[in-house]
Amino acid sequence: MARTNRRLTRGARYRRYTGGPDPLAPPVDLSEALDAIGEDVMAGYSPERAMREFLRRGSSERSGLDDLARRVAERRRELTSRHNLDGTLQQAKELLDRAVLAERKQLARDVDLDEDYRALAEMQLDSLPPSVGAAVSELGDYRWQSAQAREDFEAIKDLLGRELLDQRFAGMKQALENATDADRAEMQRMLDDLNELLAAHRRGEDTSERFAEFMAEHGRYFPESPGSVEELIDNLAQRAAAAQRMRNSMTQEQRDELDVLAQQAFGSPDLMASLGRLDGELRALRPGEDWAGSSRMDGEQGLGLGDGTGVFQDIADLDQLTEQLAQSYGGSQLGDIDLETLARQLGQDAVVDVRALQHIEQALRDSGTLRRAPDGQLRLTPKAMRRLGRTLLRDVAGQISGRTGARDVRRAGAAGDLSGATREWSFGDTEPWDVTRTVTNAVTRTAAAGRATAGGVRIEIGDVEVQETEARTQACVALLVDTSFSMALEGRWLPMKRTALALHTLVSSRFRGDDLQLIGFGRYAEAMEIEQLVGLDVGYDKGTNLHHGLLLANRHFRRHPRAQPVLLVVTDGEPTSHLEPDGEVWFDYPPDPLTIARTVRELDVSMRLGARTTFFRLGEDPSLAQFVASMARRVDGTVVAPELDELGAAVVDSYLGARVPGRWGDDMGAGDLFGDVERWGDSRRWGESGRWAG
């Protein structure tokens, strides 16, 4: 039995798995894709476009479509700059020169030759036209005295025949090397049968049986083994069209030379006639092929007709890949990319990159992070919004804590009463231990391991559970964000959205008792869900209607009379519009005194409702700075002028400081919230100018 097993093992063969997705492949990591897509969505892209942009850029580990397209363009440029189309003509010229030289030597050596004939032969050789084709035609009836010269001259005819066939049937040049007359006759018979088959198919006749007979007799000339007459026509038409594009790319002089030489192929014009008929049938059957294209070839390496046709096929493949990788046509998708052609032109590593992008795209659609809305457009799902929000909040935590690597916010009201719930301890937690749960976990683990507990139980980190607490204070928060055109014009659109999403994530995941309302104010103000704000496009209507935004904020505060109102205003401009009693918008610039008065009056209402107010001033406009400072003094609020990359941290910091009055002093921060033994008050200060220093 052992010997049998060894024999079976020795005969085993392992091949690439082709039964679908690799069952052993690790799950697709979507974190980088989701973060990139979320950033682009907040910048104003649709989720569909954002996903396509990520696929174009690629990931940190895989090339994107743009990089693959660049490699395709470089490959095409290499082909066209390396080669020229004189290869066959140069070979024919070399053979002709060698034949003429050998003949001259023979005429000089042959003392028995008739002098009149010698003189006539030398005169004919001396007067040969410079054109290779014309010279070969003129020497068609010449009686060669040199056997070597005759052999070289016949090689020209053989070369042309093999090259012409190699243009239509790849590999034929090598296959017919040293071919006999019988081989050439067999090739001519194949061409005649092929033309008859194609003509019958073009007339609409049933050619299935005829095709089978043709392949049984001539199949050796078609190594690709087409399975039907349609597949045969496709293969032949693609190569014939490439041959035509090569001809189109030649100069008129080159075409004329080859036309003359082609008539001498295999010593008669029959081959050229058969190939001409074949091209006509293929044009009629496949008019959609590119028969009129051309490419400039100005390199130094000469191409024969067959090799040149192969290069033009490669160029066609590369042009097709360029279109597929561009994904710019309607209904385009990654599945359109021809992976076999890609592997042939760029190698297997390019296929690996495309498959990785395909898996990412499919995983994004299947993972619940993107959904198709009723209008047919892709939308970020709440799951994706939560993922993006956690990432942004983690960045904010890193800024606030004054060090990178701060752990994710996991605290649920550390400053308050016990909630009765427990959870596993994580590094940085400062909540009290639940001793009963901790000891029980240690005993259970020890017993499960089969060890006795009589000698005591050793507590490990994984056994520890801590008690969660309820927050003592409920806050009612209104975040007003300026959505006027100037925010986008000055590059503040994306930081504004990032800030709103970070604060929304913090409130919805860690302070669920708080009520946050997001209000965007441009010409009008509008209360928005986070998905609406994140996907908001830039508006071009003029106006900064802070008055309307404060009206909505105060309405929000009144709905929560027992909560602490927190008013956060992010803006880069003075109010230039307000609501009239009839609901219409009044706009004027510079700001109208009436607009300022109504805005101030509504801010006074916020103060009477007990709101703790912070203005986040973006930009260095002196008029804005003066206006915001006076507004803050009026309501005993705060002005912060953060840099754009610190806006999120500044807003979150202000929210946390306002929601628990008296909890944190000037030198106390939200270290408890982030589960850090440090206090962020030790790592940041408010400057005298009100500028936030992270």
Side-chain angles (χ1 to χ4, degrees), residues 195-215:
N195 283 328
E196 291 299 327
L197 172 65
L198 298 183
H201 190 77
R202 179 172 53 81
R203 291 192 298 268
E205 300 176 11
D206 183 3
T207 55
S208 55
E209 184 176 346
R210 194 167 184 171
F211 169 75
E213 294 174 354
F214 175 83
M215 291 301 297

Side-chain angles (χ1 to χ4, degrees), residues 157-177 179 183-192 194 221-222 236 239-240 243 265-266 270-272 274-275 278-279 305-307 309:
K157 301 177 181 179
D158 184 69
L159 170 68
L160 264 296
R162 290 188 293 121
E163 288 281 10
L164 289 170
L165 287 170
D166 202 37
Q167 275 195 303
R168 276 71 172 185
F169 309 94
M172 197 62 70
K173 180 180 178 181
Q174 290 75 23
L176 288 178
E177 193 170 7
D183 294 329
R184 298 189 186 97
E186 174 62 24
M187 174 59 65
Q188 185 64 52
R189 187 162 55 253
M190 183 275 290
L191 286 173
D192 293 340
L194 177 59
Y221 296 116
F222 304 92
L236 292 173
R239 191 155 179 92
F266 290 156
D270 295 343
L271 175 63
M272 197 60 189
S274 297
L275 292 178
L278 175 62
D279 288 347
L305 297 180
D307 292 339
T309 298

Side-chain angles (χ1 to χ4, degrees), residues 432-445:
W433 285 20
D434 188 310
V435 179
T436 302
R437 293 286 301 171
T438 299
V439 173
T440 300
N441 290 340
V443 171
T444 303
R445 176 183 50 76

Side-chain angles (χ1 to χ4, degrees), residues 360-439:
I360 289 174
E361 181 185 33
Q362 191 60 44
L364 285 170
R365 297 183 186 275
D366 296 343
S367 64
T369 55
L370 296 171
R371 62 179 173 83
R372 186 71 63 179
D375 60 1
Q377 298 295 317
L378 282 182
R379 296 283 186 269
L380 290 179
T381 64
K383 177 180 178 181
M385 297 294 294
R386 289 193 297 271
R387 157 74 199 184
L388 182 59
R390 285 195 298 269
T391 300
L392 296 175
L393 191 55
R394 189 161 51 243
D395 294 341
V396 167
Q399 286 183 306
I400 292 177
S401 65
R403 65 179 179 88
T404 58
R407 72 179 184 87
D408 198 1
V409 180
R410 300 188 51 175
R411 183 72 169 165
D417 301 322
L418 298 179
S419 67
T422 65
R423 59 177 170 79
E424 183 179 350
W425 177 87
S426 294
F427 176 77
D429 284 337
T430 59
E431 299 92 336
W433 285 20
D434 188 310
V435 179
T436 302
R437 293 286 301 171
T438 299
V439 173

